[in-house]
Amino acid sequence: MATASVRDTAGQDRLFAALANGTRREVLRLLRERGPQPAGAIADRFDMARPSLSEHLKVLREAGLVSEERAGRQRIYRLEAAPLADVQDWLHPYERFWRQRLTGLGDVLDAMPDDDTP
Amino acid sequence: MATASVRDTAGQDRLFAALANGTRREVLRLLRERGPQPAGAIADRFDMARPSLSEHLKVLREAGLVSEERAGRQRIYRLEAAPLADVQDWLHPYERFWRQRLTGLGDVLDAMPDDDTP
DNA sequence: ACGATAAGTAGGAGATTCCCTACGCGTCAA
DNA sequence: TTGACGCGTAGGGAATCTCCTACTTATCGT
């Protein structure tokens, strides 16, 4: 096993775009807190027509953030957190910048270059 | 000093949406690696009309990810990483889910609930 | 086989995104 | 003061997003 989370630009776009919607973030939270759920049970939690929520699930699926398993006439959705590890990886080189601010180190090092992505 | 990074749903939408674009992520990387830059120097790096890039800078500004400082007829843009700390905070409750997968602990705990956001 | 149930697809309205060209505003140098 | 420069705003076009109301497909119970 070698690479696990190399995401191209378009993939990152899809990932962040999937997260850029409150309803979809709520769906993720629901799956995280309550475990896998059939589409209907998810939809019941939202004040929105079911087909609309079905679309949101599709966006999450295409971003790799949920998977579906068919069980009879239900489709059980499950959180897939792996792409979120990609987000954390993306975040990592920025970490020292907010650390810097919070610890009051100030803006002293602002111009100090670093290399990370080619 | 009390709360520093409480972001409402709309604010999170704006934040993730700002990150959901390759050009804008590139701008952030540039500011991280090369330090603060005038708008023109940033625009020169992209194969895009300057007003288009100006719009991207506006989106980043409204998400709080960059700040601008006027210096003569230039506007120096600077990375503001604090909102990215919000992203990491948002990410945190999901962390155990991908850890779980990676360490091969398997799907055993998938249905185990946890509480985090109200 | 039939009707009811679970959930996705089709198509469409209205808003937003992402790019462009044209133009306006402030600042500096001569 | 005039002209050039740095940069933003206006406005517009094509594509995409987010919601809706039908409608289709697949499965289950009787």
Side-chain angles (χ1 to χ4, degrees):
Chain A
M1 171 188 173
T3 61
S5 61
V6 184
R7 216 164 248 269
D8 55 11
T9 302
Q12 288 195 331
D13 282 10
R14 247 182 285 117
L15 178 51
F16 281 114
L19 297 175
N21 178 285
T23 300
R24 289 194 290 265
R25 288 193 306 277
E26 275 295 295
V27 170
L28 294 179
R29 186 172 68 83
L30 188 72
L31 294 177
R32 163 167 63 80
E33 291 181 355
R34 305 281 215 272
Q37 308 249 338
I42 299 172
D44 286 349
R45 303 236 166 204
F46 295 88
D47 186 24
M48 182 182 293
R50 288 201 333 75
S52 305
L53 213 116
S54 194
E55 284 289 335
H56 283 305
L57 290 171
K58 187 180 184 178
V59 172
L60 290 170
R61 224 184 304 127
E62 288 171 355
L65 286 163
V66 303
S67 59
E68 75 170 25
E69 175 203 351
R70 300 182 186 217
R73 54 186 154 179
Q74 303 195 121
R75 298 190 184 184
I76 311 298
Y77 280 87
R78 174 190 305 269
L79 174 66
E80 295 293 338
L84 297 179
D86 294 356
V87 173
Q88 202 179 52
D89 290 348
W90 180 86
L91 229 41
H92 187 250
Y94 294 94
E95 198 165 333
R96 72 180 191 83
F97 284 86
W98 72 74
R99 285 272 155 74
Q100 198 173 291
R101 286 301 151 93
L102 291 177
T103 53
L105 271 179
D107 314 270
V108 203
L109 309 170
D110 274 340
M112 194 183 142
D114 73 30
D115 261 287
D116 220 89
T117 330
Chain B
M1 169 189 173
T3 61
S5 61
V6 185
R7 218 164 245 270
D8 56 12
T9 303
Q12 288 197 329
D13 282 10
R14 246 181 287 117
L15 178 51
F16 281 114
L19 298 175
N21 179 283
T23 301
R24 288 193 293 263
R25 288 194 306 276
E26 275 295 296
V27 170
L28 295 180
R29 186 171 69 83
L30 188 73
L31 294 177
R32 164 167 63 80
E33 291 181 355
R34 306 280 216 272
Q37 309 249 336
I42 299 173
D44 286 348
R45 303 236 165 204
F46 296 88
D47 185 24
M48 183 181 294
R50 284 184 45 283
S52 305
L53 213 117
S54 194
E55 283 289 334
H56 284 305
L57 289 171
K58 186 181 186 179
V59 171
L60 290 170
R61 226 184 303 125
E62 287 171 356
L65 286 163
V66 303
S67 60
E68 73 167 28
E69 175 203 351
R70 297 178 190 223
R73 53 186 155 179
Q74 303 194 124
R75 299 192 182 181
I76 311 297
Y77 281 88
R78 174 190 304 269
L79 174 65
E80 294 294 338
L84 297 178
D86 294 355
V87 173
Q88 202 181 50
D89 290 347
W90 180 87
L91 230 41
H92 186 251
Y94 293 93
E95 197 165 334
R96 71 181 192 81
F97 283 87
W98 73 73
R99 285 272 155 74
Q100 197 172 291
R101 284 304 151 92
L102 292 177
T103 53
L105 271 179
D107 315 88
V108 204
L109 308 170
D110 274 341
M112 193 182 140
D114 74 29
D115 260 287
D116 220 88
T117 332

